[in-house]
């Protein structure tokens, strides 16, 4: 059965066959612009509300919710049909509100430092499941007196490995939730064919490439897909994306102690960034400890040193404020913890 946001407008019109034509607009607008549940659409007859509730169920069942001490970060663990679990993180900053959404349950990319990657792939998320994460976050933002303006596809999964469902979700967020393309960011660990498809789309979204290493030997060990799309090929696709879109490109760099935080790593990264037609921005990610995994994140002063080194080399870098210190904000972590709790002790 399709869930609430799985239907496109034509499918909704089919579902509402026999109702006056304006009902399609009313329901569509209610779900997307008003962020309403069917039961809240009081302009509709009661019987229709009940029918929509029944025939368009929510896709996401909340399993856990954690809020940090300041109330600025809310993290949800949702269960999907079939039992897979994904996470969504809402972050209120001083000047903006951003939600980080998942695009797959689990992930097949197998990055060694990532709890999700270690747990493996479960299934693709549907367009409706992706959109509903944003709608729920937007509702929560409204309750908090904020307006959700930014969406980043940086939660569980590799968005470009689920392109055919992710892209319609991006279009829906833009067209029906009214989010500007410049505030939508799709991340990838480096799936070159997906980057090329993205470059051919009309909407100029931001691209974030999870780089983590700037030479092939190291990147092969951290990000296995590098074997298929080595750095020279990846940088070629990034350069073409920049030429096609003129949009911001960022590199994500999770700092791992003694592995990719040395002066030589900063130099290689700066050299790579110089090959692009526009300057790339580097987001440095302090790595949270992953349960059951030995990789150690770079200590705080090492993170700052790496940023300064990049700065000296002419590369603009920001340290991603670690929202996970008291609520587990790194990729895959809440899911991993809940899974651990569910297992019988011993
Ligand atoms: S870091 Fe991202 S791409 Fe790599 S395994 Fe984790 S979720 Fe997948």
């Amino acid at each position: 059965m399709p869930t609430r946001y799985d239907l496109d407008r034509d499918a909704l019109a089919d579902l509402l066959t026999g109702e006056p034509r304006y009902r399609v607009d009313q329901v569509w607008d209610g779900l997307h612009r008003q962020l309403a549940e069917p039961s809240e659409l009081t302009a509709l007859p009661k019987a229709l509300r009940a029918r929509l509730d029944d025939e368009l169920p929510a896709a996401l069942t909340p399993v856990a919710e954690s809020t940090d001490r300041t109330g600025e970060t809310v993290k949800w663990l949702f269960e999907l049909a079939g039992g897979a679990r994904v996470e969504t993180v809402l972050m209120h900053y001083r000047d903006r509100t951003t939600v980080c959404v998942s695009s797959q349950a689990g992930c097949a990319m197998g990055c060694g430092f990532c709890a999700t990657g270690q747990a493996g792939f479960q299934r693709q998320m549907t367009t409706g499941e992706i959109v509903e994460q944003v709608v729920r976050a937007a509702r929560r933002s409204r309750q908090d007196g904020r307006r959700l303006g930014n969406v980043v596809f940086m939660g569980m999964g590799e968005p470009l490995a689920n392109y055919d469902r992710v892209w319609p979700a991006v279009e829906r967020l833009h067209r029906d939730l009214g989010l500007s393309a410049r505030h939508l960011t799709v991340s990838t660990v480096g799936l070159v064919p997906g980057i090329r498809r993205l470059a051919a789309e009309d909407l100029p979204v931001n691209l974030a490439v999870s780089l983590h290493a700037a030479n092939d030997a190291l990147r092969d060990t951290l990000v296995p897909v590098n074997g298929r799309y080595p750095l020279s090929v990846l940088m070629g696709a990034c350069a073409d994306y920049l030429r096609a879109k003129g949009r911001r490109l960022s590199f994500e760099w999770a700092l791992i102690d003694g592995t990719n935080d040395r002066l030589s790593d900063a130099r290689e990264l700066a050299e790579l960034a110089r090959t692009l037609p526009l300057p790339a921005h580097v987001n440095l990610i302090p790595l949270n400890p992953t349960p059951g995994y030995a990789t150690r994140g770079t200590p705080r002063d090492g993170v700052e040193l790496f940023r300064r080194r990049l700065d000296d080399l002419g590369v603009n870098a920001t340290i991603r404020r670690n929202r996970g210190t008291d609520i587990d904000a790194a990729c895959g972590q809440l899911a991993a913890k809940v899974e651990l709790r569910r297992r019988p002790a011993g």
Side-chain angles (χ1 to χ4, degrees):
M1 185 195 274
T3 63
R4 197 162 294 166
Y5 292 94
D6 275 324
L7 299 190
D8 61 18
R9 206 182 252 273
D10 290 343
L12 181 67
D14 287 347
L15 186 82
L16 294 177
T17 303
E19 295 286 338
R21 287 177 69 91
Y22 61 84
R23 290 278 184 239
V24 179
D25 288 342
Q26 240 177 349
V27 173
W28 190 260
D29 187 73
L31 293 177
H32 295 90
R33 293 272 167 183
Q34 299 169 37
L35 311 169
E37 308 253 342
S39 61
E40 295 166 341
L41 296 174
T42 48
L44 303 181
K46 217 171 172 183
L48 180 57
R49 274 183 264 157
R51 196 185 136 209
L52 289 173
D53 242 348
D54 205 39
E55 293 181 20
L56 288 182
L60 310 174
T61 305
V63 176
E65 176 179 323
S66 51
T67 306
D68 72 347
R69 279 183 236 105
T70 61
E72 288 174 344
T73 307
V74 184
K75 186 160 181 167
W76 293 278
L77 184 71
F78 292 119
E79 188 161 298
L80 312 177
R85 292 173 173 203
V86 299
E87 56 194 3
T88 308
V89 186
L90 174 66
M91 293 159 284
H92 296 309
Y93 297 91
R94 190 178 43 78
D95 56 344
R96 67 189 189 282
T97 292
T98 300
V99 65
C100 174
V101 296
S102 294
S103 53
Q104 298 180 308
C107 183
M109 297 294 129
C111 303
F113 54 88
C114 165
T116 301
Q118 296 308 294
F121 177 72
Q122 294 178 66
R123 75 161 168 86
Q124 302 286 21
M125 292 181 73
T126 67
T127 297
E129 288 165 343
I130 297 167
V131 171
E132 192 178 313
Q133 293 173 80
V134 179
V135 170
R136 284 176 180 260
R139 276 175 71 101
R140 174 58 170 265
S141 301
R142 190 168 63 188
Q143 272 171 28
D144 293 346
R146 303 289 297 254
R147 190 187 159 275
L148 180 73
N150 301 273
V151 179
V152 295
F153 286 77
M154 291 187 184
M156 243 187 213
E158 160 57 51
L160 298 185
N162 189 15
Y163 198 100
D164 292 338
R165 296 166 196 87
V166 166
W167 189 254
V170 167
E171 290 184 318
R172 186 95 63 87
L173 299 180
H174 173 67
R175 195 183 48 230
D176 299 302
L177 267 79
L179 294 164
S180 154
R182 76 183 61 233
H183 294 153
L184 303 175
T185 301
V186 174
S187 77
T188 179
V189 77
L191 296 192
V192 166
I195 296 174
R196 298 214 173 275
R197 277 181 81 180
L198 215 52
E201 303 286 1
D202 284 343
L203 275 183
V205 298
N206 302 313
L207 177 64
V209 176
S210 299
L211 203 59
H212 310 309
N215 72 67
D216 281 323
L218 178 57
R219 197 161 191 270
D220 281 348
T221 67
L222 296 178
V223 179
V225 78
N226 194 66
R228 219 178 330 150
Y229 307 111
L231 283 166
S232 57
V233 177
L234 175 58
M235 286 305 117
C238 290
D240 289 346
Y241 189 83
L242 283 171
R243 279 188 211 103
K245 298 287 169 218
R247 266 286 180 257
R248 179 179 160 131
L249 172 74
S250 59
F251 289 139
E252 309 298 306
W253 193 278
L255 279 157
I256 305 167
D257 197 22
T259 300
N260 63 357
D261 59 357
R262 300 156 301 178
L263 177 58
S264 57
D265 298 301
R267 285 196 178 126
E268 285 169 355
L269 173 52
E271 247 170 65
L272 210 58
R274 268 195 283 275
T275 64
L276 294 171
L278 290 171
H281 186 89
V282 177
N283 285 316
L284 299 173
I285 306 166
L287 206 60
N288 283 347
T290 296
Y293 190 67
T295 302
R296 275 195 349 124
T298 301
R300 184 189 291 239
D301 51 352
V303 173
E304 178 49 36
L305 177 64
F306 196 76
R307 191 200 63 75
R308 276 205 309 276
R309 281 173 167 164
L310 287 176
D311 200 46
D312 292 345
L313 291 160
V315 178
N316 207 312
T318 312
I319 299 172
R320 175 94 57 79
R321 194 176 135 202
N322 196 329
R323 297 286 188 136
T325 43
D326 61 346
I327 70 153
D328 314 299
C331 169
Q333 290 207 347
L334 184 63
K337 270 201 174 173
V338 172
E339 286 302 322
L340 287 176
R341 279 195 214 110
R342 282 165 88 201
R343 284 184 203 140

